[in-house]
Amino acid sequence: MVGTDSTARLIAALGADMAPVARLTPPTLRALGWLAIVGAIGAGLATFADVHGMIHRLAATPDLGVAAAGSLLTAILAAVAAFQLSLPDRKPAWALLPLPAAALWFGASGLGCLRGWVAPETQSIPPMEPASCLMLILGLSVPLSVLLIVMLRRGYSLRPNLTAVIAGVACAAAAATLLNFVHSYDAAATDLAAHAVAVAIVIALNRTFGGRILSGQKIVPAPARQA
């Protein structure tokens, strides 16, 4: 009885200063929140972009349409995977979720290397356009990455680097999808290389800086209740 009483007092003492942990919104809903912001950016770009021309271009060259669908699906699945990985009880296998879509994205984009054979009548890309594509992807990815890392920080990932990498995939894929609104040329080998370099840079930056931020994340206590 004495031992039981001592144990009870010890548990009470240890739990006296513990604050309740705020319950997080389900990962899928949090991912939808981030994706809604991506959609809002797309809607903003659509207000001054040649949407009809974009649709015609993607429909006229099926591999470009498949690549755009692949990048969009990659962004969605990678965002869901990142939010799942931000929770301590999730398995690392969630990182595999966006891989099939990413394979579709880059596989279809790879046909741009054969653009002259597949569709020789398509509009060729100017020499400076790949550099512009790279800068646009990076420019769109940076704010999306900052927002996503901040949102992921509300969780508590046991694998911060892996979570940051998948977040980078989501941001790079979202930026590549949004690029279709302002990219008026058909894919080419140099264009694909610029996209690949931009995606690699975004993932590396998220891995380096996002991983550090997520490594220092803290559990957010719930707001104190009024007496």
Side-chain angles (χ1 to χ4, degrees):
M1 294 296 293
V2 175
T4 302
D5 186 57
S6 299
T7 302
R9 288 201 302 270
L10 176 60
I11 293 174
L14 292 174
D17 297 326
M18 293 181 64
V21 177
R23 183 182 294 275
L24 287 175
T25 304
T28 302
L29 292 180
R30 296 168 63 206
L32 288 176
W34 180 80
L35 290 168
I37 295 175
V38 176
I41 295 174
L45 291 175
T47 59
F48 61 85
D50 182 8
V51 178
H52 182 270
M54 178 190 71
I55 295 174
H56 176 74
R57 184 175 68 254
L58 296 179
T61 314
D63 59 287
L64 293 180
V66 173
S71 63
L72 175 60
L73 189 58
T74 300
I76 295 171
L77 296 179
V80 171
F83 279 104
Q84 290 286 352
L85 290 170
S86 71
L87 301 179
D89 61 340
R90 297 305 193 262
K91 295 181 179 180
W94 276 104
L96 301 176
L97 183 63
L99 292 188
L104 176 66
W105 171 23
F106 278 94
S109 298
L111 290 178
C113 298
L114 307 176
R115 179 62 56 226
W117 298 343
V118 176
E121 73 281 359
T122 54
Q123 186 177 5
S124 60
I125 188 169
M128 293 303 294
E129 187 65 19
S132 299
C133 291
L134 188 149
M135 296 307 297
L136 282 170
I137 291 178
L138 293 179
L140 289 169
S141 296
V142 169
L144 290 176
S145 296
V146 171
L147 175 62
L148 184 53
I149 292 298
V150 170
M151 295 176 69
L152 290 171
R153 201 170 184 270
R154 289 188 58 81
Y156 194 87
S157 177
L158 298 181
R159 301 172 183 86
N161 291 331
L162 178 61
T163 303
V165 166
I166 300 303
V169 173
C171 295
T177 303
L178 294 172
L179 184 66
N180 286 293
F181 286 101
V182 293
H183 191 280
S184 59
Y185 300 95
D186 294 292
T190 52
D191 196 32
L192 176 62
H195 285 205
V197 169
V199 170
I201 292 174
V202 172
I203 294 175
L205 290 175
N206 274 269
R207 165 65 173 78
T208 301
F209 298 104
R212 291 179 183 177
I213 293 172
L214 294 179
S215 296
Q217 62 193 161
K218 298 179 180 179
I219 298 177
V220 180
R225 296 183 177 179
Q226 296 293 332

